[in-house]
Amino acid sequence: MLALLDRAPQVTAAVCYSDIVAFGALSALGERGLRAGADGADFALMGFDNVLDAAHSNPPLSTVDIRPSDLGERAAAALLARIDNPARARQTYLAEPQLVVAAIG
């Protein structure tokens, strides 16, 4: 985030590939004296994966929930089924993401 702000100070929003990366971006914004969030904030920031800490960050982080524990369970079940029967057809699972908009205030 610091490198991005150095190269393109006009940028006012970012979508991060994980909530953990978004937490780092929040920290970098704070280092530059910028505030993320809503209501007159300097920067809009979005996470991805909906870790539990997203709702408790300051400010709370909006994120895309893909239910990572469900993905892990499905992946493990598919792997075990494939181990049990190596000729089994490949399985496909498409997660239905949900937008989680942070509650401010």
Side-chain angles (χ1 to χ4, degrees):
M1 179 58 73
L2 293 174
L4 172 65
L5 293 172
D6 285 342
R7 273 185 264 152
Q10 73 280 9
V11 172
T12 60
V15 177
C16 299
Y17 69 88
S18 75
D19 288 347
I20 301 302
V21 170
F23 296 151
L26 278 174
S27 178
L29 290 167
E31 286 180 34
R32 293 292 170 91
L34 299 172
R35 198 168 54 90
D39 298 332
D42 305 298
F43 205 90
L45 191 64
M46 186 77 171
F48 188 90
D49 63 12
N50 196 25
V51 298
L52 292 176
D53 290 339
H56 304 290
S57 67
N58 187 14
L61 181 66
S62 291
T63 186
V64 176
D65 186 2
I66 56 165
R67 294 172 299 291
S69 61
D70 187 41
L71 287 175
E73 287 176 20
R74 289 177 179 271
L79 176 62
L80 291 172
R82 188 67 176 251
I83 290 170
D84 187 48
N85 180 5
R88 182 182 178 110
R90 186 175 80 177
Q91 297 178 7
T92 301
Y93 172 72
L94 181 61
E96 291 187 33
Q98 290 185 318
L99 177 63
V100 179
V101 179
I104 308 277

